[in-house]
Amino acid sequence: MNLLSLFSGIGAFEKALDNEGIKYNLVNYCEIDKYASRSYAAIHNISEELNLIDVTKVDTSSLSDIDLITYGFPCQDISQAGNQKGFTDKNGERTRSGLFFEALRIIKDLKPKYAIAENVK
């Protein structure tokens, strides 16, 4: 199963797959925070060269045969404990939580068999 991980953090989805004994091939991961990316690469024993870094700049035409996309987009603007700004601000600009739509763009373009989202209440 070919995996594309978005908003990867340190790879909780990947650890869950490992814990369940589900075999996967990590095609790329996408994490903008350099410290999280370094940790991700170390924990999963992979090269940071697989990091696509900025989800808004993911070129889906360069990716193919993705079976699973995992993502846990920033929730600060939509969670109960967060700022309650929503997906867009009063000017119609996307908030951090609006990055959710980037995941949807990538899913729409790549048409994986599965997509798993995680977020908080």
Side-chain angles (χ1 to χ4, degrees):
M1 173 168 35
N2 289 331
L3 168 66
L4 172 62
S5 173
L6 306 176
F7 311 104
S8 303
I10 61 169
F13 282 109
E14 292 78 345
K15 276 298 178 192
L17 292 170
D18 291 341
N19 290 344
E20 291 299 315
I22 299 170
K23 303 289 184 203
Y24 64 91
N25 171 49
L26 179 70
V27 175
N28 289 101
Y29 71 102
C30 192
E31 177 51 54
I32 201 163
D33 181 274
K34 67 181 180 181
Y35 301 110
S37 177
R38 285 182 196 155
S39 297
Y40 184 102
I43 290 166
H44 301 285
N45 196 31
I46 59 158
S47 169
E48 273 193 277
E49 291 180 10
L50 291 178
N51 188 1
L52 299 174
I53 305 170
D54 186 345
V55 72
T56 66
K57 294 180 172 50
V58 171
D59 176 11
T60 56
S61 69
S62 67
L63 300 169
S64 63
D65 298 322
I66 302 297
D67 300 303
L68 171 63
I69 294 177
T70 58
Y71 61 107
F73 64 96
C75 65
Q76 296 92 331
D77 300 308
I78 60 169
S79 70
Q80 284 183 339
N83 300 326
Q84 303 294 307
K85 291 180 184 177
F87 288 114
T88 57
D89 64 19
K90 62 184 176 187
N91 298 318
E93 297 293 320
R94 285 186 182 171
T95 62
R96 285 182 295 177
S97 294
L99 290 170
F100 167 74
F101 297 109
E102 290 298 323
L104 294 184
R105 170 186 67 84
I106 294 166
I107 291 166
K108 180 181 175 189
D109 287 355
L110 296 178
K111 297 175 180 42
K113 293 176 185 164
Y114 308 98
I116 301 173
E118 176 276 329
N119 227 294
V120 299
K121 189 172 182 180

